[in-house]
Amino acid sequence: MRLILIFGVDVISENPKKFAVVSWFNGKLERKGEFTLYRLIRFIQSKRPDIVAIDSVTELGDDLRRFLRSLPPETKLVQVTGKPGEQRSLQSLAKEHGIRTADRFDPYEEAKLCALLASKGVGYEVLAFEDEVIVKVTRGRSHGKGGWSQDRYRKRVHNLVRDKVRELEDRLRRADIPFDLETEERDYGLARGEFRIYASREELAGLIRPMRGGDVEVRIYPVERAELGFAPLKGEEAVKERKSIIVGIDPGITVGIAAIDLNGRIIALHSERNMPVGEVFRFVSEIGHPVIVATDVSPAPGFVEKIARSFKANLFVPRESLRIEEKNELLRNLGITVDDDHQRDALAAAYKAYLRLKPKLEHIDARLREAGLSKKADEVKALVIQGYNLGEAMQMVSLRERPKVEENRDEQVREAPDLEPYLRRIRELEKRIEMLENENRELREIIKEQRRTIGRLERRIADYDEEVRRKVLRERELEAKVKRIEVLERQLREAKAVIERLGRDLVQVKRMNVVEIRGSAVPLKVMEVLSWRELERIEREVGLRRGDVLFVVNPAGAGRAIAEELVEKRIRALITEKPLPEPVKVVLREAHVPFFLSEELDVKRVDEFAVVERETLENAIAELMERWKKEDEERKAERLLQLVEEYRLERKKELMRKAEEEKEERQKA
């Protein structure tokens, strides 16, 4: 049996508002102390009791709605004195249920009585929420302004929102919980998704959890009732016999409701904005009991599915959604006008369901007239719609109508019985008993033997199980060792690959050192491309020192930055297989760092090892530096001549200006 924790609560003072709290758990009462409203809410959220019992919810005043919203989903608020208009005093209830009372003006005594009465199932649960929850899935933070990076981030967030919506949709479908979903598409993903789930908060506990603070947010909003409801904790109220009806529902912001009886007569038409599923349920219950809940669209919305399940009614869904022309035609046949499109859609759905059943219902009417059960036509039709065949339904209704046969309680005079047959029967039974006792003894012996056999077989099975267990353990141990061997072999292969790579690098370094020591040739440090990553590799594996000569296979794509880095490294020369990009040439030329094509110097290369004859390299560098020196001198001379020419032109202009000024002065004089 599940243990229940109950908090009894009573007001101590109004300003400031304070409460006395007494707990009941497994028959044990404990005084918890004095709480403000804020501390009481925090205490309830931490302990998560099954019931918070109070003598009247009016004691919470304006804070009632806030208090109800803060309760954990599994915690009920119970008014033990009854529902409004039928309330009784705590003392009278306690006396009725055999609970001793003390000081009626002590708040802790009142809180104790509330807890004890709730433990006995006394009181009414306060219902503040519909069996309906709205779940909104949105992005968690603003995208902000920006270029390509912000666009990529925005698309990523919209994809995350779409994935979360799909995940929640899949969970709800697996849990068989009806819902409606509205989405807003953006960037091939979703900007938002809003679920309207037709289930209570308790049903969703553990299925959907709120998420905040990340790229995606999930928020849960229970739908509050317009007016508080009250449901008894223990027992069920008598339900009056209600008329069987067919109900059409058009869900949406404005809900349309239409009800017709099983003869096709219209009973009710109604439409209302923002009508939650609980209000729809209560409205329909006041009209009658639905045997069919119908919709005009296919597939059926979750809202309509929830209503059908609540009434345990059959759900009617058309093969394809009804067109507006078809709905208008149905209303013309009925000869009725409606206030809005929502009433039209609901009535069309209900009447379409009736037309589908009309031949069967007319056949039932004919059979009932023959059997004289016309007065019970609605009951028989409802049973047939629920799945019974016509014969079973008529039999059930007939049994209900059949008057009970009263027993004849008058004393009847009986003649004295003849005892001889009874004595003879007794003797036969005694012989039969003796025979059965002998048979019983024999069977007991057989049972003993069978038990010994069973015990022997159980021991054999136990030995076999032990052998199997040892075998399984050996196989598991072997499997673990095999997996360990596979891991070690993989690690060994990786280590061998590292050793092989390091060995190649070592051989290359040794070759370059030998060539460098001999002095006949200059070793070149080889780079596949002229890039930062390749430069870092060379520095990490063989090092890059001042005066080194680099050999680059393909320098395409290099720029000024890496050329300036090579200049800073103070390399002696750069040799390439393909021509250098112009920006690199300009940087190296300005820094007087020689650069050549490999075909000019006859470079010898094997794998990652390359050399050039020292004499060839030295002569090429000397010639290039001499040529650059002459080019620099020629450039300087040209610059000097250009300066002299510019000065001569400026001087000529100055003399001409002075001559013009003297001429003007003579003319004035």
Side-chain angles (χ1 to χ4, degrees):
M1 181 179 178
R2 190 173 74 90
L3 300 179
I4 297 177
L5 174 62
I6 300 174
F7 286 168
V9 179
D10 192 59
V11 172
I12 297 176
S13 63
E14 285 293 337
N15 194 13
K17 185 167 283 188
K18 293 185 178 179
F19 299 86
V21 179
V22 174
S23 72
W24 181 94
F25 181 70
N26 197 22
K28 181 180 178 182
L29 289 166
E30 182 180 354
R31 182 181 290 195
K32 291 298 183 182
E34 185 177 303
F35 294 82
T36 62
L37 179 63
Y38 174 75
R39 287 187 60 240
L40 176 61
I41 291 172
R42 294 292 299 274
F43 183 64
I44 291 172
Q45 289 174 343
S46 64
K47 299 299 182 182
R48 307 181 82 83
D50 297 274
I51 293 175
V52 175
I54 192 168
D55 62 343
S56 177
V57 293
T58 57
E59 293 181 350
L60 292 167
D62 296 335
D63 297 314
L64 175 58
R65 288 283 184 176
R66 171 193 169 198
F67 184 80
L68 287 166
R69 282 192 291 269
S70 66
L71 290 179
E74 67 273 13
T75 300
K76 299 176 180 179
L77 177 64
V78 174
Q79 182 170 279
V80 294
T81 54
K83 62 183 178 180
E86 300 177 8
Q87 290 177 260
R88 298 170 55 189
S89 67
L90 280 175
Q91 283 68 29
S92 65
L93 287 169
K95 184 177 180 181
E96 181 182 326
H97 290 86
I99 301 172
R100 292 195 307 173
T101 61
D103 184 3
R104 59 177 295 183
F105 298 105
D106 181 4
Y108 288 98
E109 182 66 20
E110 299 276 295
K112 182 187 79 172
L113 291 179
C114 291
L116 288 172
L117 288 169
S119 70
K120 294 178 179 293
V122 178
Y124 280 71
E125 180 186 357
V126 182
L127 304 176
F129 302 99
E130 302 285 359
D131 287 344
E132 189 172 339
V133 177
I134 294 175
V135 177
K136 294 183 179 179
V137 183
T138 59
R139 56 184 172 84
R141 53 174 68 95
S142 174
H143 303 314
K145 299 179 179 179
W148 290 103
S149 297
Q150 286 295 344
D151 288 343
R152 286 194 299 272
Y153 174 68
R154 186 184 66 251
K155 292 176 182 177
R156 174 179 171 272
V157 170
H158 289 160
N159 286 333
L160 291 175
V161 171
R162 179 198 60 202
D163 294 342
K164 176 56 69 172
V165 167
R166 288 179 178 174
E167 176 190 340
L168 297 184
E169 187 177 5
D170 185 53
R171 288 185 186 178
L172 291 170
R173 293 193 190 281
R174 286 203 305 270
D176 197 23
I177 295 177
F179 64 92
D180 289 325
L181 172 61
E182 292 183 2
T183 58
E184 179 183 336
E185 296 185 2
R186 190 76 56 79
D187 296 326
Y188 302 101
L190 294 179
R192 57 180 288 276
E194 181 173 323
F195 291 86
R196 183 172 288 271
I197 303 171
Y198 305 108
S200 62
R201 294 189 299 170
E202 292 82 356
E203 292 179 80
L204 294 181
L207 188 65
I208 298 178
R209 295 185 175 86
M211 291 173 51
R212 293 189 182 182
D215 291 330
V216 179
E217 282 193 351
V218 178
R219 295 175 182 263
I220 302 175
Y221 302 94
V223 177
E224 293 191 12
R225 293 184 175 215
E227 296 181 0
L228 294 179
F230 292 84
L233 267 186
K234 191 175 183 182
E236 297 181 356
E237 296 180 327
V239 179
K240 297 179 181 179
E241 185 177 349
R242 293 175 292 168
K243 186 177 183 68
S244 297
I245 57 175
I246 299 173
V247 175
I249 304 288
D250 177 46
I253 297 175
T254 299
V255 178
I257 305 172
I260 61 176
D261 64 15
L262 299 185
N263 294 315
R265 291 188 294 268
I266 299 172
I267 298 174
L269 277 175
H270 180 72
S271 58
E272 185 178 329
R273 287 179 62 84
N274 301 321
M275 196 176 186
V277 67
E279 288 294 330
V280 175
F281 182 84
R282 287 188 285 277
F283 179 86
V284 173
S285 297
E286 292 175 0
I287 302 170
H289 179 73
V291 291
I292 293 178
V293 175
T295 178
D296 64 328
V297 296
S298 179
F303 187 98
V304 181
E305 287 185 16
K306 175 63 176 178
I307 296 294
R309 289 187 183 185
S310 300
F311 286 109
K312 296 182 174 61
N314 292 339
L315 178 64
F316 171 78
V317 183
R319 295 184 180 88
E320 57 183 15
S321 300
L322 300 182
R323 300 186 304 277
I324 295 176
E325 297 81 4
E326 187 175 357
K327 298 174 189 177
N328 293 332
E329 181 65 24
L330 288 171
L331 264 63
R332 279 194 295 272
N333 293 337
L334 285 170
I336 188 173
T337 58
V338 293
D339 295 339
D340 52 45
D341 293 344
H342 308 287
Q343 292 184 10
R344 177 200 66 193
D345 294 348
L347 182 56
Y351 198 66
K352 185 72 174 178
Y354 169 74
L355 291 178
R356 182 74 61 82
L357 292 170
K358 187 177 179 181
K360 181 184 289 187
L361 297 176
E362 290 177 345
H363 173 68
I364 293 172
D365 283 329
R367 289 288 304 276
L368 291 178
R369 282 194 296 271
E370 295 173 4
L373 291 174
S374 297
K375 293 182 179 180
K376 295 295 179 180
D378 275 0
E379 292 185 37
V380 175
K381 290 176 181 177
L383 290 171
V384 171
I385 291 172
Q386 289 171 2
Y388 295 94
N389 62 46
L390 182 55
E392 291 173 340
M394 292 174 64
Q395 186 178 6
M396 291 171 68
V397 173
S398 299
L399 289 173
R400 292 175 191 170
E401 291 296 307
R402 184 178 301 168
K404 295 182 179 178
V405 178
E406 296 183 359
E407 297 180 358
N408 186 6
R409 298 180 182 178
D410 297 338
E411 294 183 357
Q412 297 180 358
V413 179
R414 300 173 182 266
E415 297 180 355
D418 183 9
L419 297 179
E420 183 59 30
Y422 296 101
L423 293 174
R424 189 166 53 252
R425 180 61 176 162
I426 289 171
R427 287 192 291 271
E428 291 175 358
L429 291 175
E430 286 176 347
K431 291 180 181 179
R432 178 67 175 165
I433 290 170
E434 184 179 358
M435 184 183 67
L436 291 174
E437 285 177 348
N438 292 332
E439 185 178 352
N440 190 20
R441 282 193 295 271
E442 293 175 1
L443 291 174
R444 286 180 183 274
E445 291 298 324
I446 293 173
I447 289 172
K448 288 181 182 178
E449 181 63 27
Q450 294 293 338
R451 284 178 176 171
R452 285 194 292 270
T453 303
I454 289 171
R456 186 170 62 255
L457 293 175
E458 285 178 344
R459 287 192 296 273
R460 289 179 61 185
I461 290 172
D463 295 339
Y464 179 74
D465 288 346
E466 181 64 23
E467 181 181 352
V468 170
R469 190 181 67 82
R470 287 196 297 267
K471 184 177 179 181
V472 169
L473 289 175
R474 285 197 300 271
E475 290 178 352
R476 288 180 179 176
E477 185 178 356
L478 180 61
E479 184 180 355
K481 289 181 178 179
V482 170
K483 289 182 178 179
R484 179 62 179 163
I485 290 170
E486 291 175 354
V487 171
L488 292 175
E489 287 179 346
R490 185 174 65 254
Q491 293 177 352
L492 179 61
R493 287 194 298 272
E494 293 173 354
K496 284 182 177 180
V498 172
I499 292 171
E500 185 177 352
R501 179 175 57 80
L502 294 176
R504 289 197 302 269
D505 294 343
L506 182 61
V507 169
Q508 182 180 4
V509 172
K510 285 181 178 180
R511 286 178 180 176
M512 294 179 69
N513 288 338
V514 169
V515 170
E516 192 171 3
I517 290 170
R518 288 177 179 174
S520 60
V522 177
L524 307 181
K525 296 186 176 179
V526 180
M527 297 172 63
E528 291 296 325
V529 294
L530 187 55
S531 65
W532 293 102
R533 182 178 296 178
E534 192 72 1
L535 187 61
E536 290 174 358
R537 183 188 67 79
I538 287 292
E539 290 185 334
R540 183 178 62 252
E541 294 180 358
V542 297
L544 186 61
R545 300 187 300 273
R546 178 178 179 178
D548 284 344
V549 180
L550 290 182
F551 177 80
V552 179
V553 178
N554 184 11
R560 291 184 59 88
I562 196 166
E564 291 171 352
E565 179 69 16
L566 294 178
V567 171
E568 288 190 9
K569 296 290 183 182
R570 307 292 294 277
I571 63 171
R572 188 177 183 193
L574 178 65
I575 304 172
T576 61
E577 278 193 3
K578 297 180 180 179
L580 279 170
E582 197 60 33
V584 178
K585 288 183 178 180
V586 171
V587 174
L588 297 179
R589 174 67 179 83
E590 291 176 353
H592 289 82
V593 176
F595 53 89
F596 308 95
L597 288 172
S598 58
E599 59 189 19
E600 299 175 8
L601 302 179
D602 191 21
V603 174
K604 302 293 190 299
R605 184 185 175 207
V606 179
D607 295 332
E608 297 180 358
F609 186 72
V611 295
V612 62
E613 291 291 334
R614 181 177 297 277
E615 184 178 355
T616 304
L617 178 63
E618 295 293 343
N619 292 337
I621 291 173
E623 290 176 3
L624 183 61
M625 297 303 289
E626 183 64 27
R627 186 169 71 251
W628 282 355
K629 181 178 179 182
K630 290 180 180 180
E631 290 175 357
D632 291 344
E633 290 175 353
E634 290 175 358
R635 195 178 294 113
K636 287 180 182 179
E638 289 177 358
R639 179 60 181 163
L640 181 61
L641 291 174
Q642 184 179 359
L643 291 174
V644 170
E645 182 64 22
E646 289 176 356
Y647 176 75
R648 185 179 66 78
L649 292 173
E650 288 293 329
R651 183 63 180 164
K652 183 178 179 180
K653 290 178 181 178
E654 181 66 22
L655 292 175
M656 290 177 68
R657 185 179 59 78
K658 286 183 179 181
E660 288 290 334
E661 288 177 355
E662 290 176 356
K663 181 178 181 181
E664 289 177 359
E665 287 177 359
R666 284 195 300 269
Q667 288 176 354
K668 288 179 181 179

